[in-house]
Amino acid sequence: MSEAGGAGKGAFKVNSLSGLDKASAVEGTLEWDAPRSVWNGTMLCAALVLGPLTFTWSAFAVFLATAAITLCAGHSVGFHRRLIHRSFDCAKWLERTLVWFGTAVGMGGPIWTIRLHDSRDWAQRQADCHWFLRHAKPLLLDGFYYLNFRLKLTRPPGFDPGPGIGDDGFYRFLDRTWMLQQIPIALLLYWLGDWSWVVWGVPVRVAACTTMHWFISYFAHTRGPQDWTVDGAVIQAYNVPLLAIPTMGESWHSNHHAFPSSARHGLYPGQIDLGYRFIQLLEWLGLASNVKLPAMLPARPGITPVTTRALSVAAPEQAEMSGHVDASGKAAG
């Protein structure tokens, strides 16, 4: 697996997939994903039934704190910006810690997450893809399919997460036991508080985070403002400003599709990105280095700026590649 952020086109490729010349993003059938369907349904039912019965303000504070920590340090920074896109460097012990927090969100293990992310990312950038990957159904129906089914492609790409991930015993362990990782969290919360802390710190949090992940994925691929488009992609990405804080900056999805190797997703003034602020904190503490930003990345073919501010964050060569330069050679607009 070549690391995102490397030179040339490799900085923007879907790293873990192979055999894409023979793969098809269109042909496939849906299968009931029994383990995740039962898990998601159980967490949601427990949240809806037990949540109101056990509500206290301290339990609600536990929900906010555990959701913020696992979503920010874990899913946004550990899973997405570090493990998948290698948008910054850090020690292996820190990477594993962040990845555990990502697993603690309750959606799946690290290797499963990479495969899901990269497969969807590749499919959505094709000229066409299966309706399941297009969020083509009405909102609630799309959520039902998303949380309960999986797509089995007739001609899928090959998958290899690469050295340091696929051969990491700890990551394979998390992939096998991702549901069980809620047990130590529940025990700690019960020891520190009571059953209300357990309910709001585990099933309410897991149900909220899982549902929000689908919700942001739906809107970030169907509507909203854009600064960039990806040429020839059947599914474009959009920014969803209202969800910037609860998603830790992941909702600046048009920016991310343009610069997937960037550690910063909120690229323009007023775009709050708590995940990037956390990476900056790690950098200030000497725990992160080589933090990548769009201006540091090589110019990327196949993306088009659609606003006057778009090129302000990119490397100078991006303007030339995009054909947005004036007679003096400076970026136009």
Side-chain angles (χ1 to χ4, degrees), residues 2-89:
S2 65
E3 290 196 358
K9 294 182 180 180
F12 307 103
K13 71 189 290 290
V14 179
N15 294 311
S16 68
L17 305 184
S18 61
L20 299 181
D21 56 327
K22 299 179 180 179
S24 171
V26 179
E27 306 166 23
T29 57
L30 287 190
E31 296 180 342
W32 181 47
D33 191 346
R36 284 182 170 77
S37 178
V38 172
W39 172 260
N40 291 336
T42 300
M43 291 295 106
L44 182 59
C45 290
L48 293 176
V49 174
L50 299 178
L53 295 177
T54 60
F55 176 83
T56 64
W57 286 111
S58 65
F60 184 66
V62 166
F63 161 75
L64 293 178
T66 53
I69 293 170
T70 56
L71 284 174
C72 185
H75 185 79
S76 178
V77 174
F79 271 10
H80 197 201
R81 308 192 202 203
R82 170 57 192 169
L83 206 60
I84 293 174
H85 291 293
R86 303 288 177 174
S87 63
F88 66 97
D89 294 337

Side-chain angles (χ1 to χ4, degrees), residues 246-305:
T247 63
M248 305 299 160
E250 296 293 323
S251 68
W252 304 116
H253 215 56
S254 174
N255 302 345
H256 174 60
H257 271 223
F259 304 103
S261 300
S262 173
R264 185 174 188 172
H265 295 176
L267 300 177
Y268 303 100
Q271 295 185 341
I272 300 172
D273 186 349
L274 298 179
Y276 175 62
R277 297 305 177 195
F278 180 69
I279 294 173
Q280 284 187 305
L281 174 62
L282 294 178
E283 186 178 31
W284 181 76
L285 292 172
L287 298 175
S289 61
N290 192 25
V291 178
K292 300 177 180 69
L293 299 175
M296 303 162 54
L297 298 172
R300 178 189 177 187
I303 58 173
T304 299

Side-chain angles (χ1 to χ4, degrees), residues 151-170:
L151 175 64
K152 184 178 181 180
L153 290 173
T154 304
R155 289 182 289 151
F159 172 72
D160 180 3
I165 300 177
D167 58 358
D168 189 304
F170 180 61

